[in-house]
Amino acid sequence: QVRLVESGGGVVQAGGSLRLSCTASGLTFSNYPMGWFRQAPGKEREYVGRISRSGGDTFYADSVKGRFTIFKDNDKNTVYLQMNSLKPEDTAVYYCAVDPTGSTIYASMYEYWGQGTQVTVSS
């Protein structure tokens, strides 16, 4: 019954910015921390970051720290991934997911996923 829908992906020049959105239904959104992951062709799904259920605390992978920001609007049932200073290496399909523990960085531990949104960064 849980559904997550990502949007906001597209093609952007290196150094540019994009904001991804993930809207959830079928759950009490404010009760759940959320994670963002990405997957490039031929690679494993990679942890990007996560946010606490209240939105008051965030954590990021070293590869995106200082460039990406996660925030959460519980009234809109939406979690966002603001991506700045984008690099070609950021090219991937980006997914949001419900964090099962509030401290999970492994994709295999997540149960509920969105369908993903493509981000392509050109150089």
Side-chain angles (χ1 to χ4, degrees):
Q1 293 182 355
V2 176
R3 189 183 183 206
L4 306 173
V5 180
E6 300 95 336
S7 62
V11 180
V12 65
Q13 193 82 9
S17 298
L18 283 174
R19 180 180 291 179
L20 307 184
S21 300
C22 170
T23 299
S25 60
L27 75 166
T28 303
F29 189 70
S30 61
N31 288 349
Y32 294 93
M34 300 291 294
W36 281 97
F37 290 78
R38 64 187 182 186
Q39 189 165 20
K43 294 190 175 183
E44 296 293 313
R45 194 161 295 188
E46 176 189 15
Y47 169 76
V48 173
R50 66 187 194 273
I51 188 167
S52 64
R53 63 187 66 191
S54 70
D57 206 2
T58 54
F59 305 87
Y60 303 95
D62 288 342
S63 59
V64 306
K65 195 173 297 181
R67 300 187 297 120
F68 290 11
T69 303
I70 300 170
F71 56 102
K72 194 169 187 256
D73 187 340
N74 285 332
D75 291 336
K76 293 182 178 292
N77 286 2
T78 300
V79 61
Y80 302 90
L81 179 65
Q82 177 67 46
M83 305 185 295
N84 300 324
S85 301
L86 282 161
K87 305 175 181 179
E89 307 93 271
D90 297 318
T91 296
V93 177
Y94 283 72
Y95 300 88
C96 64
V98 180
D99 186 343
T101 69
S103 61
T104 305
I105 64 171
Y106 303 107
S108 61
M109 299 301 295
Y110 284 69
E111 181 177 1
Y112 300 109
W113 297 87
Q115 82 290 341
T117 186
Q118 176 71 49
V119 172
T120 302
V121 184
S122 61
S123 60

